[in-house]
Amino acid sequence: MFTRIRLTMALMMVLLCLFGIAHAEMAEDITGDCLFNGDKGRSLKDDSYRTVWVSSRYHDRFSIVVEAPEGKTIGGLLIRWDSWPLALTLETRNEAGQWEMIGSCEGEFLAQYIPLDGLTSVRLMERETMGKVRLEISSMDVFTPGELPADVQQWQKSSDHVDLMLIATHPDDEVLWFGGLLPTYAGEQRKEVLVVNTSYARNDRRLELLDCLWTCGVRTYPVFMQYPDICTGQRDLVLRRWNGEQLWADMTALYRRYKPEVVVLHAADGESGHGAHIVVSEAGRDAAAAAADPACYPESAQEYGTWDIPKVYVHKHDENQIQMDWHQPLQAFDGLTAYQVADLGFQCHKSQLGGEWFMQVGGENDNSLFGLWRSQVGPDVEKTDLFENIQP
C-alpha cells in the first residue's frame, strides 16, 4: 500500500512538472508602456530602423534609463544599434533610490539581448568612452520575465570551425541568389552557418539582414566586412575602390579563422552582372587556394593556421552541378518549404521591397543551381546535398 502511494505521488509530481513546463509564463512585450529617459521614446518603437534615438549625457557619460510601467518588471531588453554596439554598464536603483551597478554587457552584436532579473528600472551607460560616443539606437524592445517569443534575437558567437560559410555581397543577396540554403542547413539541419556580408549602403540594412537570418534559422552572428557599397558593372572600378589586394587577404583570413567545411559563393558573372558580386566571387575562389598555402598572406597563416577547404560551391557554375530542391516541407518551420521561409526572410529587407528585386523560382539566375568548383573530398554522386562526402 505504502509503495503504491509513493508511486502515485511520484507520478503526480512528474505530471505537475510537465504541466508547468508546458504552461511556462510567456514574456510580455511592454515596450509601448515604458519610459526612456522620462519620455515615451517614440523613435525606439516606431517599427523603423531609419529613425534613431540618441542618448543624453549623464555627468561624464552617455546613458539611457528604462522604467517599467506600474505593476510590471523588466526581464530583458533587445537593443538594435544604429552605431556599432557599445560595451555598457548596467545599473538599477537601490532601496535608497541611488543607482548601483549590477553588471555589464559587452558590445558584441548589433541586435543585443540583455537579460535582467525583474527590475523596475535600469540604466544603461557607456562603459569606457567617457562621454565621447553617444548611444545611437534604432529600436529597443522591453520584455517582462518569462519565456521569450521565438523572434527575439539572441545571437551566438561563431566557433572556430563552422559547417557552412556563405559569402554574400549585400544584405538580401543571401536569399535572392541562394534561395532556401539558409533555412535548409541552418534551420532544418541545425548546422553552424556563418554568413559573411562584404558591403552595405546604410546602417538599417545591417539590421534587416539580422532579421532575415534569424527568420531563416541562422543563430550564428554574421561577419560584416564593411567594404563600401558600389553600384557598378565594372569589376576594375570595384577593385580600385576596395583595394583588391586587401580584399584577397581578408577573404583568406576568413577561411583560416573559421575553417568552413563548405563554402558557397556568388556566380562568376555576378548574378545580375554586378561588379561587386563579380569581385567577391573571384576573391572567394582565389582565397580558397591561398588559405591552404602558408606562403600566401603569412600574417593570417601565423595567427590562425592554414585551411584547405573541403568543398567550394559557386552559384550557377556549369561543371559538377547540383540542383537543390527548395520545395520540400521543413519540420523546423512547421511544414513551410525552404523557399517559402527564404521568401519570408526577404520580406525582412523592408528597404528593398517594391523595387526591381524579388524572390523567384528558376530563370537565368536559378537560386537552386550550384556547381562544385573545388573539392578535396571527391565528386558529388547523389547530388542532393552540399555536404555529400563531408564526415559529420
Side-chain angles (χ1 to χ4, degrees), residues 12-272:
M12 289 177 64
M13 291 298 294
V14 169
L15 292 174
L16 285 171
C17 289
L18 291 174
F19 183 84
I21 292 172
H23 294 78
E25 184 177 356
M26 293 296 296
E28 178 186 354
D29 186 340
I30 56 173
T31 312
D33 298 320
C34 291
L35 294 178
F36 303 88
N37 281 0
D39 64 43
K40 287 291 186 179
R42 290 179 178 82
S43 63
L44 288 173
K45 48 193 176 184
D46 61 0
D47 199 33
S48 172
Y49 292 151
R50 300 189 70 174
T51 56
V52 180
W53 184 92
V54 180
S55 63
S56 59
R57 188 190 294 268
Y58 177 79
H59 294 307
D60 62 345
R61 290 189 288 176
F62 286 102
S63 66
I64 177 172
V65 175
V66 184
E67 297 175 277
E70 185 174 356
K72 303 288 185 180
T73 59
I74 302 171
L77 308 169
L78 177 61
I79 299 176
R80 290 183 172 91
W81 293 94
D82 182 74
S83 61
W84 286 103
L86 299 175
L88 302 171
T89 59
L90 310 177
E91 301 176 340
T92 192
R93 287 192 178 94
N94 58 24
E95 293 181 355
Q98 299 174 325
W99 291 104
E100 63 180 22
M101 182 174 172
I102 56 171
S104 63
C105 172
E106 298 300 326
E108 296 174 319
F109 309 126
L110 283 166
Q112 178 78 57
Y113 182 76
I114 304 174
L116 298 168
D117 191 19
L119 306 176
T120 57
S121 64
V122 61
R123 181 164 70 182
L124 313 175
M125 187 174 293
E126 58 168 334
R127 195 165 73 195
E128 298 170 346
T129 54
M130 298 301 290
K132 296 179 181 179
V133 180
R134 299 181 301 180
L135 309 185
E136 298 178 355
I137 300 172
S138 289
S139 75
M140 183 183 294
D141 299 323
V142 186
F143 298 94
T144 61
E147 183 179 342
L148 291 169
D151 61 352
V152 178
Q153 296 173 24
Q154 300 180 74
W155 291 100
Q156 302 168 5
K157 292 181 179 180
S158 172
S159 71
D160 57 6
H161 192 153
V162 302
D163 296 312
L164 187 150
M165 177 183 286
L166 170 62
I167 303 179
T169 307
H170 309 96
D172 76 13
D173 289 338
E174 73 284 350
V175 286
L176 282 178
W177 310 115
F178 303 99
L181 183 77
L182 300 179
T184 296
Y185 288 107
E188 182 75 355
Q189 297 190 23
R190 295 289 191 266
K191 293 188 182 298
E192 184 176 3
V193 177
L194 179 63
V195 175
V196 177
N197 168 248
T198 59
S199 178
Y200 56 88
R202 298 189 311 268
N203 291 348
D204 60 304
R205 296 201 64 186
R206 302 178 304 183
L207 297 174
E208 291 175 345
L209 174 62
L210 293 183
D211 290 348
C212 175
L213 298 185
W214 193 266
T215 298
C216 291
V218 178
R219 297 297 179 259
T220 298
Y221 190 71
V223 172
F224 291 96
M225 295 184 76
Q226 301 186 72
Y227 282 88
D229 188 29
I230 303 172
C231 187
T232 179
Q234 301 180 46
R235 167 189 175 276
D236 292 344
L237 176 59
V238 176
L239 285 174
R240 288 197 300 270
R241 289 282 304 277
W242 279 7
N243 182 351
E245 182 64 24
Q246 185 61 53
L247 176 64
W248 263 245
D250 289 346
M251 203 74 76
T252 302
L254 281 175
Y255 291 158
R256 289 169 171 170
R257 178 177 179 180
Y258 297 109
K259 298 177 174 55
E261 294 289 329
V262 176
V263 169
V264 181
L265 300 169
H266 278 297
D269 67 0
E271 321 291 5
S272 57

